Amino acid sequence: MKKMIVCAALALSLSACANSALTVESADRSDYRSSTAMVERDREMVVPVDAENLTYTQKQLEEALFAGDAPLFKRGDGLTVRYRYVGFNEGSRVGRYLTAGLTGGSKVVLEVDFVGPDGTVLSTVRGEGSVSGGMFGGSNKSGIDKAVDRVAEYAAMHYR
C-alpha cells in the first residue's frame, strides 16, 4: 500500500496539471447535422501564435474529428470547423518546473465557428486549456489538447 502511494505521488509530481472548459459564445439554434466536415484556420488571428503551435492545433483538431475506429465526421464539404486563437499564453515551462506550478502557467483560448455549407455561422464556442505544475513543467500542448477535446465534444453533441 505504501509503495502504491509513493508511486502515485511520484506520478503526480512528474505530470502537469491541465484544466479545461468550454464556453458557448453563440448557441446552435439550427437542426443542421452532417456526416462530413473540414477544418480550417481563420485568417484573422486575434493573438499571435507561432507556426509550430498552429500546425499542432490543426493536427489535433483533425485527429479529434476524423481519426479512430469511429470518427465523428468524414472529410468533406459539410460542416466547416473554423478556428482562431483569442488567447494564447505559452507560459514558461521552466517557471512551472522551478516553482511547482506557482508561476509560468500556460493558458490557451481557442475560438471555433461551426459554419454550415451556405456560409452561415451556426454557433461559436471557446475551448480553454491551461497547464500548471509538474516536475518537468508540463507542455503548453496539453492545454491545446484539452481545448480541442472540448470543441470536439461540442461538435459531436450538436452536429453529428
Side-chain angles (χ1 to χ4, degrees):
M1 181 69 160
K2 257 187 174 181
K3 190 175 187 179
M4 194 161 78
I5 292 172
V6 169
C7 287
L10 181 61
L12 261 172
S13 69
L14 292 175
S15 66
C17 297
N19 296 308
S20 64
L22 181 81
T23 304
V24 178
E25 295 292 317
S26 166
D28 176 32
R29 304 226 187 278
S30 74
D31 59 355
Y32 179 76
R33 299 293 179 264
S34 181
S35 61
T36 60
M38 69 175 120
V39 176
E40 68 179 32
R41 185 178 55 172
D42 195 327
R43 293 181 186 190
E44 294 184 28
M45 296 293 282
V46 177
V47 296
V49 180
D50 62 280
E52 177 188 347
N53 281 303
L54 288 174
T55 300
Y56 183 81
T57 303
Q58 179 82 23
K59 177 182 160 279
Q60 292 305 101
L61 277 167
E62 289 178 356
E63 188 172 300
L65 298 174
F66 306 126
D69 292 334
L72 295 178
F73 302 98
K74 293 177 185 170
R75 293 178 191 270
D77 290 339
L79 181 69
T80 299
V81 179
R82 184 182 313 135
Y83 71 94
R84 66 194 153 275
Y85 278 101
V86 295
F88 193 90
N89 179 356
E90 194 167 359
S92 168
R93 190 171 194 168
V94 172
R96 292 189 294 272
Y97 170 76
L98 292 176
T99 64
L102 296 176
T103 64
S106 168
K107 182 173 182 178
V108 300
V109 182
L110 182 66
E111 188 171 76
V112 176
D113 291 331
F114 293 96
V115 183
D118 64 354
T120 303
V121 175
L122 304 170
S123 65
T124 302
V125 300
R126 288 186 176 187
E128 298 180 30
S130 60
V131 179
S132 62
M135 184 173 284
F136 297 112
S139 169
N140 74 297
K141 291 185 175 43
S142 295
I144 294 172
D145 294 344
K146 293 289 189 180
V148 165
D149 288 346
R150 294 293 169 253
V151 168
E153 288 169 3
Y154 182 87
M157 287 177 31
H158 293 275
Y159 299 109
R160 192 171 120 180

